[in-house]
Amino acid sequence: MKHLPIFILTAVTLPVTAQNAVVEESVVDVVCDSRTHAIQNFKEVTTILNEHGADLATFVCSCSKNDKLTAFKGQVTDSSGRVIRKIKESELKQTEYSPYLAIDDYKVYYDYTPPVYPVTITYEWAIDSHDNLIEFPSFCPQTDYDVSVKRASYTLTAPKELAVRHALQNIDKTVNVSENSNGSQILSLELSDLPALKYEPYSRPLRERLPMAYFAPTDFTYYGTQGSMKDWTEYGKWEYSLINGSEILPDAVCHELHQLTDDLKTDREKIEALYQRLEKTTRYVAILLGIGGQKPASAADVCKSGFGDCKGLSNYMRAMLKEVGIPSNYITISTSNRRLLKDFASVGQMNHVILQVPLQGDTLWLECTNPQLPMGYVHEDIAGHNAIEVSKAGGRLVQLPVYADSANLMHSKISIQLDSKGAADVSLLQDSHNWQYENNIPLMKMDEKDRHKTLQRMIRVPQAEIGRMDVKEDGATITVDAEVRSQRYATVTGQRLFVPICPIHNGYSTPPTLPNRQEDIYLKAGYLDRDEITLTIPEGYDIEARPNDISIEHPFGRFSFTIRSEGNEIHIQNSLLMKSGTYDKSLYPQFIEFIKTVSSIYSQKVVLKNNL
């Protein structure tokens, strides 16, 4: 299952739709009376215009033992303003099943499907929060494409002595700070007439385009702990206080670790041995308990139970490394946010933990949640992302490495033995590396039947009969070795055979033209595809027509195609390099033309004529 080119994954043409919904009013009103208590009041009035906006009719609220829903009411009106549904708090449902082993959080929700369109839905609710004010609710009135906002407001009232920080994203207004008659500070922000964001292929993730505002206290009390979020350094000190002392292991385990590693010569060998031990002796289970889900389980507890979440498993690996004399750093990171706000430290920007192991001349990044990955492999969900290195000295903003585009290589060697009736025996030897390897990992866990189905989707071979398929993994490389028989590989027309030149690279879709494109072109993942194809033609046939060689290059990609004949063999070479990065929106027409060209060449045929 090859890592499909970016323009296959993201260039699916979406139906052109009108606006789906209008947020008539969005209100967030937070009243904080101390460092440990606040009442959060919310109101959302949304007009849903068609079925594409139906998801906005559902009410969902996150709660916990420290966040209690204390008030709720809902109402649905039709286009004339007639009330067609009133929703009571007693009708709300609560999530009863969780795939996690232990979790404090739960969802309160109400599913509603509008019977007609348009409808206007109003939800009002309040949350009582205590002992967990490490940050206040964020402000994000616009949550999806094709949704406009008429009015939105955010108000935070807090004691004057409580220092409150804020940060804005995609908002050109400033937060107003004033004081009420009681001497409390009031931070307020109002937005109006936000136009709907339109989906554009190859643009930044929606999260990076939305207008958002963040608010948080500088000093906080969180589940009984004290800390500061003045900057990332202070954040790191608090995080370190949660893990410090939790790396102590039982004596018997320490003895086992030394037996495993003492005879190994290098630190890298020792790390490899412990990483393999982590894979064999633990499994991932999310645990959102303890200090609001921020504190990892102790290394001793993970060792005893054999399970842990990203925090617990990373801390356990840290403990094992420490026991054998190898220092490492606890790393908090986001799998969704590429960039952290440099001047606004907050826990809500991260959702994952990994481990960093500094070595002489190198740095290893260990994904302890999935130690089946090769040691030190930086997977696509975190590669290039900002992260916070946590140590006794505090937090330090770092950035994970990214593999060079050309290192994300898929190299295919294909042999096609063609007969005069158009049937062919096709052999495929394909190596996928790094991010292209990552997309093929599911193959390793499939049974033979599912592997064969996957191969049939990978190749452009009519009536494919899979004769053999072997899949092997070696580090960050997966090799597919397969043999396929097709009774109708080539089309027979009289004395001629029309033969496809490339049996792979299926599914190309050209994105729509956008004459008024707003966003620059964004290509998240670069890669290199190299194909070496040998087509053996039947006796008595000669080439009557063939595609021309081509070589094209743009800032965002490079493609070359060559074809030559040698006796009864035709040798074809393709090379496609897609370059990750951001490119000016003015290049979009060239980008579309580039995709069309590549797709058309992969789809071309050689015409063979029988001269006997």
Side-chain angles (χ1 to χ4, degrees), residues 386-445:
N386 288 153
I388 302 299
E389 175 190 293
V390 175
S391 68
K392 186 177 181 179
R396 185 171 72 96
L397 185 66
V398 297
Q399 184 169 325
L400 270 67
V402 178
Y403 296 109
D405 297 333
S406 59
N408 300 317
L409 169 67
M410 186 184 73
H411 184 201
S412 303
K413 292 184 177 181
I414 303 169
S415 174
I416 305 167
Q417 300 282 336
L418 185 70
D419 68 22
S420 59
K421 296 181 180 180
D425 291 309
V426 180
S427 64
L428 169 68
L429 183 64
Q430 187 178 86
D431 294 327
S432 299
H433 305 267
N434 296 327
W435 288 358
Q436 302 228 50
Y437 143 85
E438 196 174 326
N439 208 49
N440 279 349
I441 290 176
L443 282 172
M444 300 303 302
K445 301 177 181 179

Side-chain angles (χ1 to χ4, degrees), residues 130 161 168 295 340 584:
H130 65 91
E161 64 273 13
L168 304 180
K295 183 178 176 65
L340 301 178
D584 192 271

Side-chain angles (χ1 to χ4, degrees), residues 69-84:
L69 181 68
T70 57
F72 171 85
K73 62 180 180 179
Q75 178 177 283
V76 184
T77 59
D78 63 16
S79 57
S80 67
R82 180 176 61 92
V83 176
I84 59 176

Side-chain angles (χ1 to χ4, degrees), residues 487-499:
Q487 298 296 336
R488 294 180 58 245
Y489 184 77
T491 301
V492 181
T493 303
Q495 298 297 308
R496 291 175 174 81
L497 293 174
F498 294 82
V499 189

Side-chain angles (χ1 to χ4, degrees), residues 54-204:
D55 287 347
L56 296 175
T58 297
F59 172 79
V60 181
C61 174
S62 296
C63 299
S64 70
K65 66 180 183 181
N66 291 70
D67 291 301
K68 300 292 187 182
L69 181 68
T70 57
F72 171 85
K73 62 180 180 179
Q75 178 177 283
V76 184
T77 59
D78 63 16
S79 57
S80 67
R82 180 176 61 92
V83 176
I84 59 176
R85 185 83 167 86
K86 283 186 176 291
I87 307 166
K88 300 177 181 178
E89 186 173 350
S90 59
E91 297 179 79
L92 298 178
K93 296 181 180 180
Q94 181 174 318
T95 50
E96 298 177 352
Y97 169 76
S98 171
Y100 308 122
L101 175 71
I103 183 169
D104 276 338
D105 297 344
Y106 59 92
K107 300 287 186 183
V108 174
Y109 67 95
Y110 180 78
D111 280 327
Y112 181 75
T113 301
V116 295
Y117 298 97
V119 296
T120 298
I121 299 182
T122 301
Y123 288 121
E124 295 182 69
W125 70 104
I127 299 289
D128 189 310
S129 298
H130 65 91
D131 201 29
N132 64 349
L133 299 184
I134 199 167
E135 55 192 14
F136 297 110
S138 58
F139 184 44
C140 185
Q142 196 169 28
T143 58
D144 204 351
Y145 294 112
D146 300 313
V147 177
S148 64
V149 178
K150 284 188 177 180
R151 297 182 304 278
S153 65
Y154 187 103
T155 305
L156 170 61
T157 304
K160 191 173 183 179
E161 64 273 13
L162 183 67
V164 178
R165 301 168 299 120
H166 64 269
L168 304 180
Q169 171 185 295
N170 300 322
I171 295 176
D172 59 5
K173 292 191 173 184
T174 58
V175 173
N176 181 60
V177 181
S178 60
E179 186 176 312
N180 66 13
S181 58
N182 297 325
S184 297
Q185 59 179 321
I186 301 175
L187 287 80
S188 60
L189 177 64
E190 294 186 2
L191 302 177
S192 61
D193 299 324
L194 299 178
L197 293 172
K198 294 297 180 181
Y199 170 80
E200 294 181 340
Y202 311 102
S203 61
R204 293 174 298 160

Side-chain angles (χ1 to χ4, degrees), residues 375-390:
M375 185 184 77
Y377 175 72
V378 181
H379 59 85
E380 191 171 357
D381 285 344
I382 59 175
H385 286 210
N386 288 153
I388 302 299
E389 175 190 293
V390 175

Side-chain angles (χ1 to χ4, degrees), residues 192-239:
S192 61
D193 299 324
L194 299 178
L197 293 172
K198 294 297 180 181
Y199 170 80
E200 294 181 340
Y202 311 102
S203 61
R204 293 174 298 160
L206 174 63
R207 184 181 180 88
E208 296 182 16
R209 299 180 61 189
L210 293 173
M212 297 184 71
Y214 305 89
F215 298 84
T218 300
D219 300 311
F220 60 86
T221 299
Y222 190 70
Y223 289 85
T225 69
Q226 308 291 323
S228 170
M229 290 284 170
K230 182 180 69 173
D231 51 32
W232 287 116
T233 300
E234 293 301 311
Y235 159 86
K237 290 179 180 179
W238 178 72
E239 283 283 359

